[in-house]
Amino acid sequence: MTTQQANAQEVPLLKSYIGGQWVAGSTGELYPDINPATGELLANTSVAGAAEVDQAVQKAQDAFRQWRALPAPRRGEILFRAAQLIRERKEALAQLMSREMGKVLFEARGEVQEAIDEFFYMAGEGRRLFGFTTPSEMPDKFACCVRDPVGVVGLITPWNFPVAVPSWKLSPALIAGNTIVWKPAEDTPMVALEFARLLEEAGLPPGVVNVVLGPGPATGAPLVEHPGVRVIAFTGSTATGTFIATEGARRGKRVLLEMGGKNAITVMDDADLDLAVEGILWSAFGTSGQRCTAASRLIVHRKVVDELTERLVAEAPRLRIGNPLDEGTQIGPIVNQKQLERVHRYTGIGMEEGARLLCGGETYTEGDCAKGFFYRPTLFADVRPDMRIAQEEIFGPTAVMISVDSLEEAIAVNNDTPYGLSSSIYTRDINRAMRAARDLTTGIVYINHGTTGAEVHLPFGGTRGTGNGHREAAVQALDAFTEWKAIYVDYSGRLQRAQIDT
Ligand code: NAP
């Protein structure tokens, strides 16, 4: 459905949250919020434009003075309360997420748990935010380094992790003393507003977090361009991220990028195949393959390729496709019609390239699923590493199998894509596992575990086209949202010139 087709009546109208007030967009446009499992119109978004973005940035600038002056342990207490509230509302948030973007309920609960963990973790940083001291080269002089907030931070986030990804950005940015203007994805505005309400309830002063609603070009672009925004923290596709980085660089901004992936699971000839099959099904088809860490390439030792293929072809079609709110559902819908078409287009590309379709490769329209955007788990065999289906991010329930003859070949294939988020290897040989951990060039490596399952106290992010050197989560997340300030205290009572009077 297009903006023009959005039905203005009968459903809630969603407004931006600016300085603690609900503000309608001055563009006059509405954007529909659709349940991808049923096609139901859940709400309409009043699209914010440059005027609302400017208003939000001003409110964030005003709030910055007060928020940065609040001692970090007090900021931590507010984040702690937020974590408690997210925990209390876990089920409601998970159900809303499920309805809005189609994640199956047990995964949605896991995602909310990640936000809880992240907020508790960053609340604790309020009593750390460690800097360091170091000896001065001069006598009677003290030197130390502290983290300073940067100012107003712009967040731009995707629909596929509408709670966890914003939490990875909101909580470190807030604990460090920054204020925020957040543009969530147009497909998940309701979850974002629930989050804003919850943060307000936790005690966040008005203007510290502002949410501007609308599509990327209308609402995200003015945020990137705004001179009052010092940092842009973006998660999304590599194409959009590259554009934002270019625009940000032209304006001297710091841009944190978390982008696409083409993650691989390697299965060696000594692997526990039962474990590998479970890991592959979960990593390739969970969230219908719409995870940045989804395993979309299976690099399989030639000696076990037939057995693994047989097992996967037996298991993948058994995964239960359906409404994500039904407890038994394992595979929910694709987020929208456009993305469904993209996934199916790649099936056609794979066949044209000469890959062998093993299962799936078509939409799933049984029963009520006909009203939504469902796709069958899809597997390709006889795939060459240079094929488009082995190189490009499909972002759907599609995995391709590439046969190899050695660990060295597997590692070379794994590393040879434009992306570098996560890799996994199944082997019982500790020497092979350690060599893989050393030589796989992705930001995350799993041994005997699928490509998904990051924990909030370890840094998250990728190399090559996945990122630009920053990391989210863990203490490393603070680097994106702080400036290092070096402080020299001379208590000699005389002029001491560094490098001269030594
Ligand atoms: P996307 O199309 O790039 O959108 C991401 C965000 O950017 C959305 O909020 C989008 O707004 C906004 N946007 C689009 N055009 C913009 C512009 N010109 N200026 C400013 N903002 C703009 O990505 P997506 O389809 O939502 O998300 C899927 C992608 O995210 C995949 O590539 C996935 O791998 C990646 N991802 C990466 C990670 C990671 O940590 N590496 C985590 C999750 C997802 P609208 O959608 O509202 O138009």
Side-chain angles (χ1 to χ4, degrees):
M1 190 186 286
T2 65
T3 306
Q4 289 72 28
Q5 290 168 304
N7 179 357
Q9 282 99 46
E10 296 163 19
V11 292
L13 180 67
L14 308 178
K15 297 179 185 171
S16 295
Y17 176 75
I18 300 174
Q21 308 288 323
W22 302 102
V23 177
S26 60
T27 63
E29 287 196 39
L30 296 181
Y31 195 90
D33 187 11
I34 307 277
N35 179 335
T38 62
E40 175 199 2
L41 179 66
L42 299 173
N44 281 308
T45 295
S46 171
V47 173
E52 291 70 46
V53 169
D54 185 51
Q55 199 184 338
V57 173
Q58 281 182 25
K59 293 290 179 194
Q61 283 173 327
D62 293 347
F64 178 61
R65 283 181 276 281
Q66 182 199 354
W67 183 245
R68 77 166 298 219
L70 192 68
R74 300 281 91 77
R75 295 199 293 263
E77 284 163 16
I78 295 176
L79 263 61
F80 191 87
R81 276 201 294 282
Q84 287 173 312
L85 285 175
I86 305 170
R87 188 159 61 187
E88 280 169 26
R89 316 255 163 93
K90 180 173 174 177
E91 187 59 25
L93 275 166
Q95 296 223 8
L96 180 59
M97 185 196 314
S98 221
R99 276 203 299 145
E100 204 173 32
M101 54 69 71
K103 190 166 290 195
V104 296
L105 210 41
F106 71 92
E107 287 186 57
R109 290 182 187 123
E111 180 176 341
V112 178
Q113 185 59 46
E114 197 167 344
I116 297 166
D117 296 344
E118 176 69 15
F119 267 84
F120 275 131
Y121 179 89
M122 283 298 166
E125 277 304 311
R127 286 196 180 268
R128 289 185 292 268
L129 275 181
F130 291 138
F132 61 90
T133 62
T134 186
S136 164
E137 65 189 43
M138 314 299 286
D140 299 327
K141 195 172 166 191
F142 174 79
C144 70
C145 226
V146 297
R147 287 186 187 272
D148 245 6
V150 185
V152 177
V153 172
L155 309 186
I156 299 180
T157 56
W159 48 265
N160 71 327
F161 280 91
V163 166
V165 165
S167 300
W168 288 352
K169 301 181 194 304
L170 283 164
S171 60
L174 288 172
I175 199 65
N178 302 284
T179 54
I180 288 162
V181 179
W182 170 25
K183 193 215 87 67
E186 64 203 358
D187 284 319
T188 50
M190 292 207 310
V191 177
L193 293 185
E194 268 316 296
F195 230 74
R197 283 192 197 101
L198 189 146
L199 290 172
E200 183 184 81
E201 204 178 322
L204 217 63
V208 173
V209 170
N210 306 275
V211 183
V212 287
L213 298 181
T219 318
L223 185 60
V224 174
E225 289 160 13
H226 200 292
V229 177
R230 298 301 314 135
V231 177
I232 296 288
F234 168 85
T235 297
S237 64
T238 298
T240 309
T242 306
F243 172 76
I244 287 176
T246 309
E247 293 302 304
R250 289 187 330 125
R251 293 166 174 84
K253 297 184 186 209
R254 184 186 301 181
V255 180
L256 158 74
L257 300 174
E258 293 294 341
M259 304 181 284
K262 193 69 188 174
N263 313 286
I265 294 180
T266 291
V267 182
M268 295 304 296
D269 50 343
D270 61 0
D272 175 339
L273 287 191
D274 291 337
L275 195 63
V277 166
E278 263 189 306
I280 289 168
L281 294 174
W282 169 240
S283 301
F285 304 127
T287 319
S288 301
Q290 302 170 109
R291 294 180 185 134
C292 49
T293 54
S296 53
R297 295 181 299 152
L298 310 176
I299 303 170
V300 186
H301 197 286
R302 213 174 292 279
K303 286 186 186 156
V304 290
V305 80
D306 288 343
E307 190 179 348
L308 187 73
T309 303
E310 200 177 305
R311 291 201 195 189
L312 290 174
V313 170
E315 293 296 330
R318 283 198 202 130
L319 294 168
R320 285 184 299 278
I321 304 176
N323 191 311
L325 287 167
D326 296 341
E327 292 287 353
T329 298
Q330 292 169 292
I331 308 270
I334 302 291
V335 71
N336 56 37
Q337 178 72 34
K338 195 170 148 211
Q339 188 59 23
L340 183 71
E341 285 165 10
R342 176 188 156 92
V343 171
H344 191 55
R345 204 162 52 244
Y346 270 100
T347 297
I349 290 170
M351 291 168 85
E352 277 166 26
E353 287 181 308
R356 185 161 51 96
L357 183 65
L358 294 171
C359 61
E362 57 186 6
T363 52
Y364 179 85
T365 54
E366 308 223 340
D368 279 351
C369 289
K371 297 181 198 153
F373 314 122
F374 293 86
Y375 206 75
R376 291 181 190 272
T378 299
L379 274 170
F380 275 106
D382 301 341
V383 174
R384 286 193 320 274
D386 62 344
M387 286 181 178
R388 285 184 64 191
I389 54 168
Q391 288 288 327
E392 298 174 15
E393 187 181 44
I394 299 171
F395 223 53
T398 303
V400 307
M401 293 177 75
I402 300 166
S403 303
V404 293
D405 291 302
S406 66
L407 177 67
E408 289 67 31
E409 189 183 353
I411 290 171
V413 169
N414 183 99
N415 292 345
D416 186 21
T417 73
Y419 300 104
L421 186 52
S422 68
S423 336
S424 139
I425 179 166
Y426 282 85
T427 177
R428 288 189 172 104
D429 181 335
I430 183 69
N431 296 345
R432 283 173 156 179
M434 291 305 292
R435 274 188 220 121
R438 182 192 62 197
D439 294 338
L440 292 169
T441 54
T442 48
I444 306 168
V445 171
Y446 293 99
I447 311 288
N448 291 325
H449 183 295
T451 49
T452 291
E455 300 177 26
V456 302
H457 51 298
L458 279 83
F460 183 95
T463 59
R464 296 190 284 278
T466 296
N468 61 345
H470 295 282
R471 289 292 182 267
E472 303 211 280
V475 71
Q476 284 74 16
L478 295 169
D479 293 340
F481 301 110
T482 53
E483 297 276 10
W484 281 113
K485 184 192 280 177
I487 300 175
Y488 299 93
V489 183
D490 191 320
Y491 54 96
S492 69
R494 62 183 187 280
L495 174 66
Q496 295 199 93
R497 295 169 299 181
Q499 292 93 40
I500 295 171
D501 301 328
T502 51

